[in-house]
């Protein structure tokens, strides 16, 4: 440990992690993410920042080193708040500021944050860190540790963990074990025990066509390792075959949840020909999951975040009714949710639906407005949040002798289901176990589940413009307020199609504008997306070639 004054200790570290000043970094929706080879000084600076954050909130703070579904040459970091949530928005600004501070100004930058935020530097600071399987992650973890040590913070380096596992550890630590044990073993045994208990509550009927056999595409990343460890705790209750486990292919290369969702086809490296075979793909840090199967005609069917969300919301709704529990439950989606899923949730499940802006933290925040808030992005990131009131009511109903045994059993199932859910953030492993419990309870095959509703055909396009900030949106990104005339033009185009919807928004992760369109047929969705993209290109200073005519029309 160093005994140097703060300024000097920061300078010594900075000389080992020099900032070339050539790149501009930004802490956005998913933390900092860019090419790994320029991140070393940024991780050192983040190490300093999280010590300040830990002292400011007097709690353990987490950092995960990962770039999720990005290619292997990229990397990044996400900071985790004490209850396992994403970094507070005001601190995203400080993170961006410190990440861009030169070596000479670094001491001053830290000093002004200390005074501005009135941080007591005599307090202890504690950081939990973990990393994904990228080759660059190890060195970046060392840069982070150097930053933590420069400000005399303590840390526990968990080594390789999935993003949601690290979120879980932080919450366990800050609840003094109330949420579970902050160890990897604690994570697996909590989930395995909850999984077994939920299934014990469910009676399997003779006609059940459910099978616990599934193929998992681990994206050649951390999820492949961790799901194998999870399996060892499940006593063969599921028969899981892991592909893309990192022994052959490259991380996220033509595989993983993002590839499957965007390409709407199976990943490389995993056999999917067997009709009806249940398949899942995780992303590079295992916080997203999608299901899919190929039917007897060889047609590929994707069951994305929307299908998972409606399955979970519908099941929790049934349990709440069966337990006679009055709790206000809702589903939170983004504008990308397929219109059929929203309609199914509203009209069939009778679950109220709220729409939030893209990005996990927005959905998470909105879900906290409900007693039971289910949230999912169509890309497969999501979880369920239970308020303190909901937790209390479910617990007491599970032990209430005045209720019928069926009511008590429904409440008990809910209680164990809550234990199975990682409430800190979307967690591919936990979500998979939840889905398997529900399919088991219903005796469903993939075909049964998929039949709940049929997705409206849709198309996403990208348009490159001079400055994507000229597009501003409102109403959870569903309506463009600038440039002038764009929304009116979109409305005019949409009105020519049946069952149609379209919106545009500037991407938070790429320098482009994204176009989404859905309509009654694929040809119509393609043509609608093309027309809207062309409008954006003309009204928002498009650069390069104008959008190409869709080949299907
Ligand atoms: C980030 C977000 C993800 C969102 C995506 C949108 C987190 C942890 N991740 O990956 O939720 O769907 O960005 O990207 O919040 P876009 O702004 O480029 O469309
Ligand atoms: Mg991810």
């Amino acid at each position: 440990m160093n005994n140097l004054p703060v300024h000097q200790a920061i300078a010594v570290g900075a000389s080992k992690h020099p900032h070339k000043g050539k790149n501009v970094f930004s802490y956005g929706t998913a933390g900092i993410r860019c090419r790994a080879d320029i991140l070393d000084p940024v991780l050192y600076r983040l190490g300093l920042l999280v010590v300040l954050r830990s002292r400011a909130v007097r709690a353990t703070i987490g950092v995960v080193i990962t770039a999720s579904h990005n290619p292997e040459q990229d990397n990044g970091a996400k900071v985790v708040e004490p209850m396992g949530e994403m970094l507070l928005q005001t601190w995203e600004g400080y993170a961006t500021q410190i990440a861009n501070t030169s070596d000479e100004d670094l001491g001053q930058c830290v000093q002004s944050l200390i005074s501005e935020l009135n941080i007591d530097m005599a307090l202890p600071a504690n950081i939990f860190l973990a990393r994904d399987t990228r080759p660059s992650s190890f060195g970046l973890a060392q840069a982070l540790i150097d930053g933590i040590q420069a400000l005399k913070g303590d840390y526990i380096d968990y080594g390789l963990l999935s993003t949601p596992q690290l979120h879980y550890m932080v919450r366990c630590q800050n609840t003094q074990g109330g949420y579970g044990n902050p160890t990897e073993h604690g994570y697996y045994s909590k989930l395995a025990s909850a999984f077994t208990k939920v299934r014990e509550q469910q009676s399997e009927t003779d006609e059940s066509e459910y099978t616990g056999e599934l193929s998992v595409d681990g994206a050649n990343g951390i999820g492949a390792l961790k799901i194998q460890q999870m399996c060892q705790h499940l006593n063969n209750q599921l028969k899981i075959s892991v592909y893309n486990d990192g022994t052959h292919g490259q991380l996220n290369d033509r595989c993983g949840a993002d590839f499957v969702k965007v390409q709407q086809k199976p990943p490389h490296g995993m056999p999917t020909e067997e009709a009806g075979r249940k398949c899942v793909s995780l992303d590079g840090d295992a916080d997203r999951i999608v299901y899919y199967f190929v039917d007897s005609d060889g047609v590929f069917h994707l069951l994305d975040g929307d299908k998972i969300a409606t399955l979970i919301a519908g099941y929790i709704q049934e349990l709440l009714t069966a337990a006679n529990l009055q709790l206000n439950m809702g589903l939170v989606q983004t504008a990308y949710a397929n219109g059929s899923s929203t309609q199914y949730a509203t009209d069939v499940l009778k679950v109220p639906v709220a729409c939030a802006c893209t990005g996990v933290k927005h959905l998470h925040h909105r879900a906290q407005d409900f007693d039971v808030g289910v949230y999912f992005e169509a890309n497969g990131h999501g979880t369920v949040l239970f308020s303190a009131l909901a937790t209390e009511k479910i617990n007491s109903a599970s032990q209430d002798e005045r209720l019928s045994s069926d009511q008590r059993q429904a409440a008990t199932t809910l209680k164990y289901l809550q234990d199975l859910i990682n409430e800190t953030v979307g967690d591919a492993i936990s979500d998979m176990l939840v889905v398997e419990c529900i399919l088991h309870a219903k005796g469903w095959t993939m075909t049964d589940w998929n039949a709940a509703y049929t997705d409206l055909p849709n198309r996403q396009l990208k348009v490159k413009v001079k400055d994507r900030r000229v597009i501003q949106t409102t109403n959870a990104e569903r309506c463009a307020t600038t440039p002038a005339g764009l929304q009116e033009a979109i409305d005019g185009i949409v009105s020519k199609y049946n069952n149609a919807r379209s919106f545009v928004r500037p991407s938070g992760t790429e320098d482009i504008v994204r176009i989404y369109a859905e309509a009654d047929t694929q040809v119509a969705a393609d043509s609608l997306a093309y027309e809207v993209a062309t409008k954006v290109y003309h009204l928002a200073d498009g650069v390069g070639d104008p959008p190409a005519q869709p080949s299907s029309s």
Side-chain angles (χ1 to χ4, degrees):
M1 257 328 219
N2 70 73
N3 285 312
L4 299 170
V6 167
H7 253 83
Q8 241 176 308
I10 291 173
V12 170
S15 66
K16 280 188 1 199
H17 305 284
H19 202 303
K20 308 266 177 353
K22 276 194 286 195
N23 303 291
V24 178
F25 302 96
S26 149
Y27 194 106
T29 14
I32 286 187
R33 207 179 281 186
C34 59
R35 267 172 35 219
D37 59 353
I38 55 172
L39 272 174
D40 182 82
V42 175
L43 266 291
Y44 172 67
R45 284 154 175 77
L46 267 188
L48 303 172
L49 186 84
V50 290
V51 170
L52 300 188
R53 182 75 189 132
S54 175
R55 290 195 174 120
V57 291
R58 302 178 181 221
T60 295
I61 292 292
V63 184
V64 204
I65 297 167
T66 181
S68 185
H69 55 277
N70 284 38
E72 188 162 293
Q73 67 267 26
D74 289 354
N75 216 326
K78 300 189 228 187
V79 177
V80 179
E81 289 277 306
M83 282 302 117
E85 287 151 340
M86 305 267 177
L87 183 62
L88 203 69
Q89 203 140 356
T90 43
W91 280 73
E92 288 184 0
Y94 304 141
T96 298
Q97 185 193 339
I98 201 166
N100 291 300
T101 302
S102 68
D103 300 346
E104 303 77 60
D105 297 339
L106 193 55
Q108 191 48 50
C109 170
V110 170
Q111 210 60 63
S112 3
L113 282 173
I114 294 172
S115 1
E116 186 185 330
L117 300 163
N118 209 2
I119 294 169
D120 179 355
M121 292 300 279
L123 287 171
N126 195 31
I127 313 300
F128 281 4
L129 66 121
R131 60 189 154 87
D132 70 11
T133 55
R134 283 162 213 271
S136 57
S137 292
F138 187 77
L140 292 174
Q142 195 50 55
L144 180 82
I145 291 171
D146 286 351
I148 296 169
Q149 290 187 320
L151 290 184
K152 299 192 171 74
D154 294 323
Y155 67 90
I156 293 181
D157 180 359
Y158 281 89
L160 294 169
L161 283 187
S162 73
T163 295
Q165 283 180 320
L166 197 267
H167 283 251
Y168 163 90
M169 302 301 171
V170 172
R171 180 149 168 170
C172 290
Q173 177 70 9
N174 288 314
T175 52
Q176 283 77 43
Y179 197 65
N181 288 331
T183 60
E184 226 185 314
H185 186 267
Y187 171 89
Y188 299 124
S189 51
K190 178 179 177 185
L191 264 55
S193 146
F195 181 77
T196 308
K197 285 178 175 157
V198 172
R199 302 245 295 206
E200 278 167 8
Q201 299 298 315
Q202 305 168 330
S203 45
E204 208 174 339
T205 60
D206 291 344
E207 311 87 72
S208 172
E209 291 188 61
Y210 171 81
T211 137
E213 277 179 42
L214 63 168
S215 298
V216 175
D217 155 26
N220 290 317
I222 191 79
L225 303 179
K226 301 307 173 186
I227 213 154
Q228 283 167 342
Q229 281 176 261
M230 184 74 240
C231 283
Q232 290 169 10
H233 290 75
L234 288 173
N235 294 331
N236 299 319
Q237 293 177 91
L238 295 177
K239 224 172 138 234
I240 296 177
S241 314
V242 180
Y243 298 88
N244 296 328
D245 62 358
T247 52
H248 300 93
Q250 259 211 337
L251 178 67
N252 298 327
D253 178 21
R254 293 164 299 155
C255 61
D258 198 61
F259 174 89
V260 173
K261 169 71 182 162
V262 173
Q263 304 290 328
Q264 311 254 341
K265 61 181 187 198
H268 289 243
M270 184 161 98
T272 48
E273 307 78 38
E274 188 193 326
R277 169 90 188 170
K278 191 154 48 179
C279 300
V280 306
S281 281
L282 319 183
D283 75 334
D285 63 340
D287 62 358
R288 290 192 196 177
I289 184 167
V290 293
Y291 272 75
Y292 46 94
F293 70 101
V294 173
D295 68 19
S296 48
D297 297 324
V299 179
F300 172 80
H301 298 276
L302 177 68
L303 293 93
D304 62 4
D306 298 339
K307 275 261 155 76
I308 299 174
T310 44
L311 180 78
I312 297 177
Y315 184 61
I316 294 181
Q317 177 92 323
E318 280 169 27
L319 290 175
L320 287 172
T321 309
N324 196 25
L325 278 165
Q326 266 81 47
L327 288 168
N328 150 28
M329 154 158 173
L331 171 61
V332 185
Q333 304 184 309
T334 70
Y336 288 105
N338 195 279
S340 292
S341 73
T342 313
Q343 196 180 10
Y344 174 76
T346 314
D347 298 348
V348 181
L349 301 178
K350 312 273 185 223
V351 171
V353 178
C355 187
C357 290
T358 303
V360 172
K361 65 176 181 216
H362 301 294
L363 288 103
H364 192 95
H365 191 70
R366 186 69 183 80
Q368 287 171 327
D369 294 343
F370 298 98
D371 293 328
V372 182
V374 180
Y375 75 81
F376 262 89
E377 286 195 303
N379 62 27
H381 185 117
T383 188
V384 186
L385 306 183
F386 295 83
S387 68
L389 175 79
T391 308
E392 214 297 287
K393 279 195 170 182
I394 291 169
N395 268 327
S396 50
S398 71
Q399 302 161 31
D400 190 342
E401 297 295 332
R402 292 164 304 176
L403 298 181
S404 73
S405 67
D406 283 355
Q407 288 174 330
R408 257 202 324 273
Q409 189 181 15
T412 307
T413 310
L414 263 175
K415 184 173 93 159
Y416 294 135
L417 196 67
Q418 184 179 359
D419 281 342
L420 183 56
I421 290 165
N422 185 344
E423 289 184 66
T424 62
V425 77
D427 181 336
I429 295 180
S430 153
D431 287 338
M432 185 191 84
L433 296 178
V434 170
V435 167
E436 290 307 314
C437 280
I438 301 174
L439 296 179
H440 173 261
K442 293 181 176 288
W444 275 3
T445 61
M446 292 297 279
T447 314
D448 298 329
W449 176 17
N450 195 38
Y453 64 84
T454 307
D455 276 328
L456 277 171
N458 55 86
R459 177 65 61 204
Q460 287 195 46
L461 293 178
K462 306 174 183 185
V463 175
K464 198 147 177 45
V465 298
K466 222 196 245 162
D467 179 359
R468 69 192 200 274
R469 286 171 302 183
V470 301
I471 306 242
Q472 285 178 9
T473 64
T474 183
N475 192 12
E477 306 179 317
R478 289 169 294 187
C479 185
T481 49
T482 62
L486 177 60
Q487 190 56 48
E488 291 74 11
I490 295 175
D491 292 343
I493 299 168
V494 167
S495 68
K496 298 190 297 180
Y497 295 84
N498 292 325
N499 244 339
R501 191 167 69 87
S502 179
F503 67 91
V504 303
R505 55 175 280 277
S507 158
T509 62
E510 284 181 72
D511 190 16
I512 45 141
V513 176
R514 292 198 196 280
I515 319 297
Y516 178 86
E518 64 183 31
D520 58 345
T521 66
Q522 191 61 54
V523 171
D526 288 349
S527 151
L528 171 57
Y530 164 73
E531 280 200 62
V532 172
T534 306
K535 261 297 164 226
V536 169
Y537 183 86
H538 288 305
L539 292 178
D541 267 334
V543 294
D545 292 337
Q549 282 270 7
S551 50
S552 58
S553 46

